[in-house]
Amino acid sequence: MTNIPRFQVRFYKSNAGNEPVREWLLSLSDEAKKKIGEDIKTVQFGWPIGMPVSRKVSKDLWEVRSSLHGKITRVIFTVEGTTIYLLHGLIKKTQKLPQKDLAIAKKRLADLRG
């Protein structure tokens, strides 16, 4: 892996100026933040990258897949040019990605694209 990231990582910002993924990450334990950050960095430096770190979930949407101590966390993102936009973060309770979370990510993607 090179020391120069191939992509910039940005948090989705709502019209009100909120950054929901940043806020979600800050609510997690230091251990969780570190693990998720490492997985995001792996995607940033190695994109395109597949399982087990990343997986496509919908048209133009992928997830960063992190696991720690029985919790399954996901950060849904999109790639626009050389920028990765983090759209939604969640802790999954089941194997399948909840439709409400996918809908949130799709709405934020539409907002991002204007």
Side-chain angles (χ1 to χ4, degrees):
M1 193 182 315
T2 176
N3 288 334
I4 301 169
R6 296 183 58 215
F7 292 83
Q8 294 182 349
V9 174
R10 301 241 186 262
F11 290 99
Y12 161 82
K13 188 180 280 193
S14 72
N15 290 334
N18 298 333
E19 295 177 321
V21 177
R22 183 188 302 268
E23 294 162 14
W24 173 75
L25 283 169
L26 290 172
S27 75
L28 301 175
S29 70
D30 288 344
E31 179 185 13
K33 285 185 266 199
K34 183 177 180 192
K35 173 65 174 141
I36 294 166
E38 287 170 354
D39 290 338
I40 290 169
K41 186 176 178 182
T42 298
V43 172
Q44 177 184 17
F45 279 78
W47 185 257
I49 191 169
M51 294 286 280
V53 177
S54 176
R55 181 177 71 93
K56 188 169 187 162
V57 294
S58 184
K59 183 179 186 305
D60 297 331
L61 293 174
W62 292 265
E63 63 183 4
V64 175
R65 305 163 51 86
S66 301
S67 297
L68 56 127
H69 305 302
K71 290 186 179 178
I72 304 167
T73 65
R74 299 292 186 258
V75 176
I76 303 173
F77 68 95
T78 193
V79 178
E80 297 281 331
T82 59
T83 304
I84 294 170
Y85 290 95
L86 307 179
L87 301 172
H88 183 59
L90 65 140
I91 297 175
K92 286 182 23 175
K93 308 231 185 307
T94 64
Q95 288 294 327
K96 191 169 171 132
L97 180 65
Q99 286 302 303
K100 69 177 180 85
D101 290 296
L102 185 55
I104 290 168
K106 285 180 177 180
K107 181 186 179 315
R108 290 177 181 164
L109 176 60
D111 290 347
L112 180 72
R113 290 181 172 171

